Amino acid sequence: MSNFQYVKKKPTIYDIASKLNITAATVSRALNDSELISKKTKKMVLESAHELSYFKNRHALALKSGRTNQIGLVVPFINRHFFSNIIMGVEEELYPKGYQVMIFQSNESEKKEQDVVEALLKNQVDGVLISVSKTTRTKSHFNKIIENNLPLIFFDRKVDVDNSSSVETDDEFGGKIATQHLIDQGCSQIAYVTVDLNLNIYKNRFKGYKKALEANNIDFNSDLVFQANSDVISGRKVARQILSNDIKIDSIFCSSDYIALGVIQELKDNNVDIPGDISVVGFSNEPFTELLDLTLTSIEQNPYEIGKSAARVFLDQVNAKDAIIEHAIKLKPKLCIRNSSMKNSLKPH
Amino acid sequence: MSNFQYVKKKPTIYDIASKLNITAATVSRALNDSELISKKTKKMVLESAHELSYFKNRHALALKSGRTNQIGLVVPFINRHFFSNIIMGVEEELYPKGYQVMIFQSNESEKKEQDVVEALLKNQVDGVLISVSKTTRTKSHFNKIIENNLPLIFFDRKVDVDNSSSVETDDEFGGKIATQHLIDQGCSQIAYVTVDLNLNIYKNRFKGYKKALEANNIDFNSDLVFQANSDVISGRKVARQILSNDIKIDSIFCSSDYIALGVIQELKDNNVDIPGDISVVGFSNEPFTELLDLTLTSIEQNPYEIGKSAARVFLDQVNAKDAIIEHAIKLKPKLCIRNSSMKNSLKPH
DNA sequence: CAATATTATGCAATGGATTGCACAATATAA
DNA sequence: TTATATTGTGCAATCCATTGCATAATATTG
């Protein structure tokens, strides 16, 4: 087999120009529908371009204009259901507008996040959408983005930066409706399991929990609040703690589905009836919640919509040109009721 | 708040040159460590570049060289556990080498796939890694990649294209070890549930199933083979069919975890003991398999490794320059034994 | 020391599209 | 018909890095 392969050269405006005996400048203007160019010439150029299947060279454009039609999207991990669905949403919104989405991971490392932002700036992206790493404490890399006059949009996890925008889940609302749902089921001794309260999302879910109690005249009891990591093992631990200390509760609201799953497993192992004795609610509506034997009631954050919304905010900023717009969008999450919390209803056969 | 924001201009080789009273050509050569340049000058240039925090403009490079250090990665959907982990692997391998990975989705549509490939070529990516859409029947878009002299690497799902490479799971092996495992558990009446046999992956899993039977002198019985879609509902349907027709089996090997889950749910609903009466094995090792009450034995394909491997093949091709290398790698999947298939063992408390 | 060989640098064109300015072609008014 | 206004194109520089060729600067040899 021969190694020679004929690589056809991509046509340029010069090819079109010489074919039509005009100059590249005219072709360029015609392609950009400049009002300086006559209709006749425009028509010629457009036809010719189509014929040669000409398309603009992105890199020449980028070099000349400094704009790339690429945006940077930074998530902690792309292989998380939540984030990959956000990516879906962003792509869906931006791809049709001619933007390309450069996806990067921070791996929850501040250093990697800084590197990645640096790389994005080198690439001259036209904007940055980012969900901040858990370990990030500084924000000079975010300021650098702003200094470069680029739209900066935080999603899900934000940091206070002037002239930036954000799209978040209304976590407080989520905490509230989950708690209210348990109350509606007749629960009043509602345990709460939180993850690191330094993180806004958990802080706000907790706030929602307390607000719902208050709205229903149920006294907040700090003995019913537990701290855990967002995983199954931690959930089991909490459940064990509750059982062995004989803490009286009729329900548990967990700020993570994984915790809820661990709780359920441990309770089941100890012959506690769910939801009969104890109702359980999780948070995030992970795919597995509806695959379990005992399906798990949870809060759906709709990451796909978060992505779409963040993308739209970006487009807004771009279109607004120099006017600085600061969006701060909070999307309402939705309660997905399943068997783990339905005290008085039929379960599917 | 003022709209004015000072955007500092990015330094170029000309800035370095004028600072040092030399020309841009010399700077360029120095930065590229050309042996034409004296050590003294190189040192000066490097220091100066560092001082100005200079970096090369990717687009100028791309324009000049036609190479972009970007590769295109096309998957059916990025929000699937399997594919997002492949992406992880690719990124991990290529990012340190200075490549950027442009991720695109085909949404299992041939048309979208063609568009996406077109877009990648316009972008002048340096290579394409792709997992072919289920609906793709033509391959002219793949040939176009080859005609452009770009490395083309298929992963997971391939199509025959000259001069391309591929990285796949050894599905036949997977089918074999899963079946063998059931046989080792004492099973001999092993039902098999397949998805569309037009797709290579399912064809090969089926082949593995048959080979294992043969190796153990168990007659293949086509009455035990069922067709389904890769979802829970279809799994339930198959189980119902088996039960209502009173087909005698001691195990079911499903070519998808979702099918296996449906099967399990339906069997449980009918008070069939798993694995006592019927053992169940799935395929793909989806995250939920170990979260279920009855954890599901499955075949781990290690998508992360598939991604890494595909990336390495790409790098090989690039380094080989004009020599055309055709890799055809098959990665051995791994059996993950869990409770759904363990006839004679303790289950976790 | 002159003459040649080496080494280090500069000049200028290239890649593709854009755009301010100059100028040609045409249309309008005097 | 000539002078002026209007419209449509062309010229050439620009964005930034690379590279073939020419030449300056230095080192080596006779």
Side-chain angles (χ1 to χ4, degrees), chain A residues 1 5 57 59 78 87-88 100 105 123-124 149 163 268 293, chain B residues 1 5 57-59 78 87-88 100 105 123-124 149 163 268 293:
Chain A
M1 175 190 314
Q5 291 175 315
N57 182 308
H59 304 289
I78 51 182
I87 296 172
M88 284 273 277
Q100 285 176 355
Q105 306 182 79
N123 257 287
Q124 298 176 244
N149 224 342
N163 302 335
K268 275 191 174 179
D293 281 24
Chain B
M1 178 190 313
Q5 290 176 313
N57 182 308
R58 290 185 84 98
H59 304 290
I78 51 182
I87 296 173
M88 284 273 277
Q100 284 176 355
Q105 304 182 78
N123 257 287
Q124 298 175 244
N149 224 342
N163 303 335
K268 273 191 174 179
D293 281 23

PDB file of all heavy atoms in Angstrom, chain A residues 1 5 57 59 78 87-88 100 105 123-124 149 163 268 293, chain B residues 1 5 57-59 78 87-88 100 105 123-124 149 163 268 293:
ATOM      1  N   MET A   1       0.837  -1.207   0.000  1.00  0.00           N
ATOM      2  CA  MET A   1       0.000   0.000   0.000  1.00  0.00           C
ATOM      3  C   MET A   1       0.872   1.258   0.000  1.00  0.00           C
ATOM      4  O   MET A   1       1.822   1.376   0.750  1.00  0.00           O
ATOM      5  CB  MET A   1      -0.861  -0.033   1.265  1.00  0.00           C
ATOM      6  CG  MET A   1      -1.675   1.219   1.445  1.00  0.00           C
ATOM      7  SD  MET A   1      -2.400   1.182   3.084  1.00  0.00           S
ATOM      8  CE  MET A   1      -3.024  -0.508   3.116  1.00  0.00           C
ATOM      9  N   GLN A   5      -0.781   9.958  -0.087  1.00  0.00           N
ATOM     10  CA  GLN A   5      -2.218  10.226  -0.067  1.00  0.00           C
ATOM     11  C   GLN A   5      -2.437  11.651  -0.518  1.00  0.00           C
ATOM     12  O   GLN A   5      -1.829  12.588  -0.009  1.00  0.00           O
ATOM     13  CB  GLN A   5      -2.773  10.040   1.338  1.00  0.00           C
ATOM     14  CG  GLN A   5      -2.747   8.583   1.739  1.00  0.00           C
ATOM     15  CD  GLN A   5      -3.183   8.420   3.169  1.00  0.00           C
ATOM     16  OE1 GLN A   5      -2.747   9.164   4.047  1.00  0.00           O
ATOM     17  NE2 GLN A   5      -4.035   7.451   3.424  1.00  0.00           N
ATOM     18  N   ASN A  57     -11.595  29.891   7.346  1.00  0.00           N
ATOM     19  CA  ASN A  57     -10.584  29.274   8.205  1.00  0.00           C
ATOM     20  C   ASN A  57     -10.679  29.879   9.600  1.00  0.00           C
ATOM     21  O   ASN A  57     -10.429  31.061   9.811  1.00  0.00           O
ATOM     22  CB  ASN A  57      -9.205  29.527   7.603  1.00  0.00           C
ATOM     23  CG  ASN A  57      -8.119  28.882   8.413  1.00  0.00           C
ATOM     24  OD1 ASN A  57      -8.035  29.084   9.617  1.00  0.00           O
ATOM     25  ND2 ASN A  57      -7.284  28.101   7.757  1.00  0.00           N
ATOM     26  N   HIS A  59      -8.898  29.618  12.127  1.00  0.00           N
ATOM     27  CA  HIS A  59      -7.679  30.095  12.777  1.00  0.00           C
ATOM     28  C   HIS A  59      -7.251  31.446  12.219  1.00  0.00           C
ATOM     29  O   HIS A  59      -6.770  32.301  12.952  1.00  0.00           O
ATOM     30  CB  HIS A  59      -6.590  29.041  12.636  1.00  0.00           C
ATOM     31  CG  HIS A  59      -7.018  27.721  13.190  1.00  0.00           C
ATOM     32  ND1 HIS A  59      -7.161  27.511  14.537  1.00  0.00           N
ATOM     33  CD2 HIS A  59      -7.411  26.580  12.593  1.00  0.00           C
ATOM     34  CE1 HIS A  59      -7.602  26.280  14.731  1.00  0.00           C
ATOM     35  NE2 HIS A  59      -7.758  25.692  13.575  1.00  0.00           N
ATOM     36  N   ILE A  78     -15.981  15.170  34.390  1.00  0.00           N
ATOM     37  CA  ILE A  78     -16.980  15.017  33.332  1.00  0.00           C
ATOM     38  C   ILE A  78     -17.769  13.737  33.455  1.00  0.00           C
ATOM     39  O   ILE A  78     -18.812  13.605  32.859  1.00  0.00           O
ATOM     40  CB  ILE A  78     -16.356  15.049  31.928  1.00  0.00           C
ATOM     41  CG1 ILE A  78     -15.195  14.084  31.823  1.00  0.00           C
ATOM     42  CG2 ILE A  78     -15.935  16.424  31.557  1.00  0.00           C
ATOM     43  CD1 ILE A  78     -14.535  14.129  30.482  1.00  0.00           C
ATOM     44  N   ILE A  87     -23.146  19.569  30.647  1.00  0.00           N
ATOM     45  CA  ILE A  87     -22.400  19.717  29.395  1.00  0.00           C
ATOM     46  C   ILE A  87     -23.330  19.547  28.204  1.00  0.00           C
ATOM     47  O   ILE A  87     -23.296  20.329  27.260  1.00  0.00           O
ATOM     48  CB  ILE A  87     -21.258  18.679  29.318  1.00  0.00           C
ATOM     49  CG1 ILE A  87     -20.236  18.932  30.428  1.00  0.00           C
ATOM     50  CG2 ILE A  87     -20.587  18.726  27.952  1.00  0.00           C
ATOM     51  CD1 ILE A  87     -19.176  17.842  30.555  1.00  0.00           C
ATOM     52  N   MET A  88     -24.191  18.516  28.291  1.00  0.00           N
ATOM     53  CA  MET A  88     -25.180  18.301  27.235  1.00  0.00           C
ATOM     54  C   MET A  88     -25.975  19.574  26.973  1.00  0.00           C
ATOM     55  O   MET A  88     -26.161  19.982  25.825  1.00  0.00           O
ATOM     56  CB  MET A  88     -26.167  17.209  27.651  1.00  0.00           C
ATOM     57  CG  MET A  88     -25.655  15.808  27.581  1.00  0.00           C
ATOM     58  SD  MET A  88     -25.886  15.092  25.961  1.00  0.00           S
ATOM     59  CE  MET A  88     -27.601  14.539  26.073  1.00  0.00           C
ATOM     60  N   GLN A 100     -17.971  26.409  19.709  1.00  0.00           N
ATOM     61  CA  GLN A 100     -17.455  25.114  20.107  1.00  0.00           C
ATOM     62  C   GLN A 100     -17.138  25.156  21.581  1.00  0.00           C
ATOM     63  O   GLN A 100     -16.645  26.152  22.092  1.00  0.00           O
ATOM     64  CB  GLN A 100     -16.202  24.788  19.311  1.00  0.00           C
ATOM     65  CG  GLN A 100     -16.564  24.384  17.902  1.00  0.00           C
ATOM     66  CD  GLN A 100     -15.345  24.160  17.077  1.00  0.00           C
ATOM     67  OE1 GLN A 100     -14.237  24.394  17.534  1.00  0.00           O
ATOM     68  NE2 GLN A 100     -15.555  23.724  15.853  1.00  0.00           N
ATOM     69  N   GLN A 105     -11.513  19.544  32.906  1.00  0.00           N
ATOM     70  CA  GLN A 105     -11.814  19.074  34.254  1.00  0.00           C
ATOM     71  C   GLN A 105     -10.847  19.688  35.254  1.00  0.00           C
ATOM     72  O   GLN A 105      -9.662  19.815  34.968  1.00  0.00           O
ATOM     73  CB  GLN A 105     -11.641  17.570  34.335  1.00  0.00           C
ATOM     74  CG  GLN A 105     -12.420  16.806  33.311  1.00  0.00           C
ATOM     75  CD  GLN A 105     -12.228  15.329  33.500  1.00  0.00           C
ATOM     76  OE1 GLN A 105     -12.834  14.733  34.375  1.00  0.00           O
ATOM     77  NE2 GLN A 105     -11.383  14.735  32.686  1.00  0.00           N
ATOM     78  N   ASN A 123      -5.844  30.068  24.856  1.00  0.00           N
ATOM     79  CA  ASN A 123      -6.627  29.684  23.690  1.00  0.00           C
ATOM     80  C   ASN A 123      -7.495  30.799  23.176  1.00  0.00           C
ATOM     81  O   ASN A 123      -8.155  30.670  22.178  1.00  0.00           O
ATOM     82  CB  ASN A 123      -7.547  28.536  24.053  1.00  0.00           C
ATOM     83  CG  ASN A 123      -7.022  27.258  23.524  1.00  0.00           C
ATOM     84  OD1 ASN A 123      -7.076  27.025  22.334  1.00  0.00           O
ATOM     85  ND2 ASN A 123      -6.459  26.462  24.403  1.00  0.00           N
ATOM     86  N   GLN A 124      -7.523  31.865  23.951  1.00  0.00           N
ATOM     87  CA  GLN A 124      -8.378  32.983  23.586  1.00  0.00           C
ATOM     88  C   GLN A 124      -9.835  32.585  23.413  1.00  0.00           C
ATOM     89  O   GLN A 124     -10.467  32.949  22.433  1.00  0.00           O
ATOM     90  CB  GLN A 124      -7.867  33.630  22.308  1.00  0.00           C
ATOM     91  CG  GLN A 124      -6.485  34.192  22.463  1.00  0.00           C
ATOM     92  CD  GLN A 124      -5.959  34.735  21.153  1.00  0.00           C
ATOM     93  OE1 GLN A 124      -4.998  34.244  20.610  1.00  0.00           O
ATOM     94  NE2 GLN A 124      -6.626  35.769  20.665  1.00  0.00           N
ATOM     95  N   ASN A 149     -11.706  40.740  29.881  1.00  0.00           N
ATOM     96  CA  ASN A 149     -12.971  41.205  29.330  1.00  0.00           C
ATOM     97  C   ASN A 149     -13.823  40.078  28.758  1.00  0.00           C
ATOM     98  O   ASN A 149     -14.568  40.283  27.811  1.00  0.00           O
ATOM     99  CB  ASN A 149     -12.683  42.229  28.223  1.00  0.00           C
ATOM    100  CG  ASN A 149     -13.594  43.408  28.360  1.00  0.00           C
ATOM    101  OD1 ASN A 149     -14.631  43.307  29.038  1.00  0.00           O
ATOM    102  ND2 ASN A 149     -13.237  44.504  27.741  1.00  0.00           N
ATOM    103  N   ASN A 163     -18.726  41.380  38.132  1.00  0.00           N
ATOM    104  CA  ASN A 163     -18.998  41.309  36.696  1.00  0.00           C
ATOM    105  C   ASN A 163     -19.176  39.898  36.166  1.00  0.00           C
ATOM    106  O   ASN A 163     -19.151  39.685  34.963  1.00  0.00           O
ATOM    107  CB  ASN A 163     -17.884  41.996  35.892  1.00  0.00           C
ATOM    108  CG  ASN A 163     -17.716  43.436  36.294  1.00  0.00           C
ATOM    109  OD1 ASN A 163     -18.660  44.054  36.800  1.00  0.00           O
ATOM    110  ND2 ASN A 163     -16.533  43.974  36.096  1.00  0.00           N
ATOM    111  N   LYS A 268     -32.455  -1.220  56.459  1.00  0.00           N
ATOM    112  CA  LYS A 268     -33.017  -2.497  56.015  1.00  0.00           C
ATOM    113  C   LYS A 268     -32.324  -3.658  56.723  1.00  0.00           C
ATOM    114  O   LYS A 268     -32.972  -4.600  57.167  1.00  0.00           O
ATOM    115  CB  LYS A 268     -32.824  -2.665  54.514  1.00  0.00           C
ATOM    116  CG  LYS A 268     -33.904  -2.029  53.666  1.00  0.00           C
ATOM    117  CD  LYS A 268     -33.740  -2.509  52.225  1.00  0.00           C
ATOM    118  CE  LYS A 268     -34.860  -2.048  51.332  1.00  0.00           C
ATOM    119  NZ  LYS A 268     -34.663  -2.504  49.935  1.00  0.00           N
ATOM    120  N   ASP A 293     -34.606  -1.345  44.390  1.00  0.00           N
ATOM    121  CA  ASP A 293     -35.793  -2.117  44.788  1.00  0.00           C
ATOM    122  C   ASP A 293     -36.777  -1.176  45.460  1.00  0.00           C
ATOM    123  O   ASP A 293     -37.965  -1.160  45.162  1.00  0.00           O
ATOM    124  CB  ASP A 293     -35.399  -3.201  45.796  1.00  0.00           C
ATOM    125  CG  ASP A 293     -34.778  -4.380  45.094  1.00  0.00           C
ATOM    126  OD1 ASP A 293     -34.248  -4.170  43.981  1.00  0.00           O
ATOM    127  OD2 ASP A 293     -34.832  -5.493  45.632  1.00  0.00           O
TER     128      ASP A 293
ATOM    129  N   MET B   1     -20.587  51.633  38.218  1.00  0.00           N
ATOM    130  CA  MET B   1     -19.381  50.887  37.829  1.00  0.00           C
ATOM    131  C   MET B   1     -19.001  51.168  36.380  1.00  0.00           C
ATOM    132  O   MET B   1     -19.836  51.179  35.489  1.00  0.00           O
ATOM    133  CB  MET B   1     -19.688  49.396  37.997  1.00  0.00           C
ATOM    134  CG  MET B   1     -18.562  48.512  37.579  1.00  0.00           C
ATOM    135  SD  MET B   1     -19.145  46.830  37.540  1.00  0.00           S
ATOM    136  CE  MET B   1     -19.995  46.746  39.123  1.00  0.00           C
ATOM    137  N   GLN B   5     -12.552  48.442  30.864  1.00  0.00           N
ATOM    138  CA  GLN B   5     -11.687  47.462  31.503  1.00  0.00           C
ATOM    139  C   GLN B   5     -10.414  47.385  30.707  1.00  0.00           C
ATOM    140  O   GLN B   5     -10.412  47.198  29.500  1.00  0.00           O
ATOM    141  CB  GLN B   5     -12.365  46.095  31.532  1.00  0.00           C
ATOM    142  CG  GLN B   5     -13.523  46.094  32.497  1.00  0.00           C
ATOM    143  CD  GLN B   5     -14.247  44.766  32.454  1.00  0.00           C
ATOM    144  OE1 GLN B   5     -14.540  44.273  31.385  1.00  0.00           O
ATOM    145  NE2 GLN B   5     -14.532  44.201  33.607  1.00  0.00           N
ATOM    146  N   ASN B  57       0.922  31.941  20.245  1.00  0.00           N
ATOM    147  CA  ASN B  57      -0.470  32.066  19.820  1.00  0.00           C
ATOM    148  C   ASN B  57      -0.853  30.835  18.998  1.00  0.00           C
ATOM    149  O   ASN B  57      -0.336  30.604  17.913  1.00  0.00           O
ATOM    150  CB  ASN B  57      -0.618  33.336  18.989  1.00  0.00           C
ATOM    151  CG  ASN B  57      -2.043  33.554  18.545  1.00  0.00           C
ATOM    152  OD1 ASN B  57      -2.662  32.660  17.974  1.00  0.00           O
ATOM    153  ND2 ASN B  57      -2.568  34.715  18.813  1.00  0.00           N
ATOM    154  N   ARG B  58      -1.754  30.057  19.575  1.00  0.00           N
ATOM    155  CA  ARG B  58      -2.147  28.796  18.942  1.00  0.00           C
ATOM    156  C   ARG B  58      -2.686  29.001  17.542  1.00  0.00           C
ATOM    157  O   ARG B  58      -2.537  28.151  16.675  1.00  0.00           O
ATOM    158  CB  ARG B  58      -3.273  28.127  19.739  1.00  0.00           C
ATOM    159  CG  ARG B  58      -2.889  27.578  21.062  1.00  0.00           C
ATOM    160  CD  ARG B  58      -4.079  26.841  21.672  1.00  0.00           C
ATOM    161  NE  ARG B  58      -4.158  25.477  21.184  1.00  0.00           N
ATOM    162  CZ  ARG B  58      -3.697  24.426  21.842  1.00  0.00           C
ATOM    163  NH1 ARG B  58      -3.151  24.584  23.021  1.00  0.00           N
ATOM    164  NH2 ARG B  58      -3.802  23.221  21.347  1.00  0.00           N
ATOM    165  N   HIS B  59      -3.372  30.110  17.361  1.00  0.00           N
ATOM    166  CA  HIS B  59      -4.047  30.292  16.082  1.00  0.00           C
ATOM    167  C   HIS B  59      -3.060  30.691  14.993  1.00  0.00           C
ATOM    168  O   HIS B  59      -3.184  30.266  13.847  1.00  0.00           O
ATOM    169  CB  HIS B  59      -5.168  31.300  16.247  1.00  0.00           C
ATOM    170  CG  HIS B  59      -6.131  30.905  17.313  1.00  0.00           C
ATOM    171  ND1 HIS B  59      -6.984  29.846  17.165  1.00  0.00           N
ATOM    172  CD2 HIS B  59      -6.313  31.356  18.582  1.00  0.00           C
ATOM    173  CE1 HIS B  59      -7.681  29.688  18.297  1.00  0.00           C
ATOM    174  NE2 HIS B  59      -7.283  30.592  19.154  1.00  0.00           N
ATOM    175  N   ILE B  78     -22.407  12.076  25.574  1.00  0.00           N
ATOM    176  CA  ILE B  78     -21.379  12.243  26.598  1.00  0.00           C
ATOM    177  C   ILE B  78     -21.887  11.923  27.988  1.00  0.00           C
ATOM    178  O   ILE B  78     -21.108  11.722  28.894  1.00  0.00           O
ATOM    179  CB  ILE B  78     -20.819  13.683  26.638  1.00  0.00           C
ATOM    180  CG1 ILE B  78     -21.940  14.705  26.708  1.00  0.00           C
ATOM    181  CG2 ILE B  78     -19.929  13.942  25.480  1.00  0.00           C
ATOM    182  CD1 ILE B  78     -21.437  16.111  26.693  1.00  0.00           C
ATOM    183  N   ILE B  87     -13.881   9.331  27.736  1.00  0.00           N
ATOM    184  CA  ILE B  87     -13.399  10.706  27.571  1.00  0.00           C
ATOM    185  C   ILE B  87     -12.344  11.023  28.623  1.00  0.00           C
ATOM    186  O   ILE B  87     -11.287  11.581  28.321  1.00  0.00           O
ATOM    187  CB  ILE B  87     -14.574  11.700  27.675  1.00  0.00           C
ATOM    188  CG1 ILE B  87     -15.564  11.478  26.536  1.00  0.00           C
ATOM    189  CG2 ILE B  87     -14.054  13.136  27.640  1.00  0.00           C
ATOM    190  CD1 ILE B  87     -16.849  12.297  26.651  1.00  0.00           C
ATOM    191  N   MET B  88     -12.640  10.632  29.854  1.00  0.00           N
ATOM    192  CA  MET B  88     -11.669  10.824  30.931  1.00  0.00           C
ATOM    193  C   MET B  88     -10.310  10.240  30.546  1.00  0.00           C
ATOM    194  O   MET B  88      -9.271  10.875  30.718  1.00  0.00           O
ATOM    195  CB  MET B  88     -12.133  10.107  32.201  1.00  0.00           C
ATOM    196  CG  MET B  88     -13.234  10.772  32.955  1.00  0.00           C
ATOM    197  SD  MET B  88     -12.607  11.989  34.128  1.00  0.00           S
ATOM    198  CE  MET B  88     -12.201  10.922  35.521  1.00  0.00           C
ATOM    199  N   GLN B 100      -5.474  19.317  22.945  1.00  0.00           N
ATOM    200  CA  GLN B 100      -6.794  19.617  23.462  1.00  0.00           C
ATOM    201  C   GLN B 100      -7.799  18.709  22.790  1.00  0.00           C
ATOM    202  O   GLN B 100      -7.689  18.433  21.604  1.00  0.00           O
ATOM    203  CB  GLN B 100      -7.130  21.069  23.186  1.00  0.00           C
ATOM    204  CG  GLN B 100      -6.390  21.962  24.149  1.00  0.00           C
ATOM    205  CD  GLN B 100      -6.625  23.397  23.845  1.00  0.00           C
ATOM    206  OE1 GLN B 100      -7.274  23.723  22.863  1.00  0.00           O
ATOM    207  NE2 GLN B 100      -6.090  24.252  24.678  1.00  0.00           N
ATOM    208  N   GLN B 105     -20.871  15.104  20.102  1.00  0.00           N
ATOM    209  CA  GLN B 105     -21.836  14.012  20.224  1.00  0.00           C
ATOM    210  C   GLN B 105     -22.503  13.760  18.884  1.00  0.00           C
ATOM    211  O   GLN B 105     -22.809  14.700  18.168  1.00  0.00           O
ATOM    212  CB  GLN B 105     -22.933  14.389  21.208  1.00  0.00           C
ATOM    213  CG  GLN B 105     -22.437  14.785  22.557  1.00  0.00           C
ATOM    214  CD  GLN B 105     -23.590  15.104  23.478  1.00  0.00           C
ATOM    215  OE1 GLN B 105     -24.235  14.216  23.984  1.00  0.00           O
ATOM    216  NE2 GLN B 105     -23.858  16.375  23.676  1.00  0.00           N
ATOM    217  N   ASN B 123     -12.084  22.493  11.402  1.00  0.00           N
ATOM    218  CA  ASN B 123     -11.250  22.936  12.515  1.00  0.00           C
ATOM    219  C   ASN B 123      -9.820  22.507  12.359  1.00  0.00           C
ATOM    220  O   ASN B 123      -8.980  22.850  13.169  1.00  0.00           O
ATOM    221  CB  ASN B 123     -11.757  22.321  13.803  1.00  0.00           C
ATOM    222  CG  ASN B 123     -12.512  23.307  14.598  1.00  0.00           C
ATOM    223  OD1 ASN B 123     -11.930  24.199  15.171  1.00  0.00           O
ATOM    224  ND2 ASN B 123     -13.821  23.186  14.573  1.00  0.00           N
ATOM    225  N   GLN B 124      -9.587  21.708  11.358  1.00  0.00           N
ATOM    226  CA  GLN B 124      -8.245  21.187  11.136  1.00  0.00           C
ATOM    227  C   GLN B 124      -7.689  20.470  12.362  1.00  0.00           C
ATOM    228  O   GLN B 124      -6.564  20.734  12.779  1.00  0.00           O
ATOM    229  CB  GLN B 124      -7.302  22.318  10.750  1.00  0.00           C
ATOM    230  CG  GLN B 124      -7.716  22.996   9.459  1.00  0.00           C
ATOM    231  CD  GLN B 124      -6.848  24.191   9.167  1.00  0.00           C
ATOM    232  OE1 GLN B 124      -7.321  25.309   9.133  1.00  0.00           O
ATOM    233  NE2 GLN B 124      -5.559  23.954   8.965  1.00  0.00           N
ATOM    234  N   ASN B 149      -5.441  12.784   5.477  1.00  0.00           N
ATOM    235  CA  ASN B 149      -4.196  12.289   6.043  1.00  0.00           C
ATOM    236  C   ASN B 149      -4.160  12.392   7.566  1.00  0.00           C
ATOM    237  O   ASN B 149      -3.106  12.597   8.164  1.00  0.00           O
ATOM    238  CB  ASN B 149      -3.031  13.077   5.461  1.00  0.00           C
ATOM    239  CG  ASN B 149      -1.908  12.145   5.091  1.00  0.00           C
ATOM    240  OD1 ASN B 149      -1.870  11.005   5.572  1.00  0.00           O
ATOM    241  ND2 ASN B 149      -1.002  12.610   4.268  1.00  0.00           N
ATOM    242  N   ASN B 163      -6.546   2.041   6.661  1.00  0.00           N
ATOM    243  CA  ASN B 163      -5.607   2.943   7.314  1.00  0.00           C
ATOM    244  C   ASN B 163      -6.107   3.513   8.640  1.00  0.00           C
ATOM    245  O   ASN B 163      -5.537   4.459   9.170  1.00  0.00           O
ATOM    246  CB  ASN B 163      -5.214   4.106   6.416  1.00  0.00           C
ATOM    247  CG  ASN B 163      -4.622   3.624   5.113  1.00  0.00           C
ATOM    248  OD1 ASN B 163      -4.084   2.520   5.060  1.00  0.00           O
ATOM    249  ND2 ASN B 163      -4.721   4.425   4.084  1.00  0.00           N
ATOM    250  N   LYS B 268     -38.125 -11.279  40.827  1.00  0.00           N
ATOM    251  CA  LYS B 268     -38.415 -11.044  42.243  1.00  0.00           C
ATOM    252  C   LYS B 268     -39.913 -10.882  42.469  1.00  0.00           C
ATOM    253  O   LYS B 268     -40.480 -11.423  43.411  1.00  0.00           O
ATOM    254  CB  LYS B 268     -37.719  -9.767  42.710  1.00  0.00           C
ATOM    255  CG  LYS B 268     -36.288  -9.969  43.178  1.00  0.00           C
ATOM    256  CD  LYS B 268     -35.823  -8.687  43.871  1.00  0.00           C
ATOM    257  CE  LYS B 268     -34.457  -8.848  44.493  1.00  0.00           C
ATOM    258  NZ  LYS B 268     -34.027  -7.582  45.137  1.00  0.00           N
ATOM    259  N   ASP B 293     -29.942  -3.723  45.892  1.00  0.00           N
ATOM    260  CA  ASP B 293     -30.103  -4.611  47.040  1.00  0.00           C
ATOM    261  C   ASP B 293     -29.438  -5.943  46.739  1.00  0.00           C
ATOM    262  O   ASP B 293     -28.673  -6.477  47.528  1.00  0.00           O
ATOM    263  CB  ASP B 293     -31.594  -4.877  47.299  1.00  0.00           C
ATOM    264  CG  ASP B 293     -32.236  -3.721  48.017  1.00  0.00           C
ATOM    265  OD1 ASP B 293     -31.690  -2.606  47.907  1.00  0.00           O
ATOM    266  OD2 ASP B 293     -33.255  -3.932  48.692  1.00  0.00           O
TER     267      ASP B 293
END
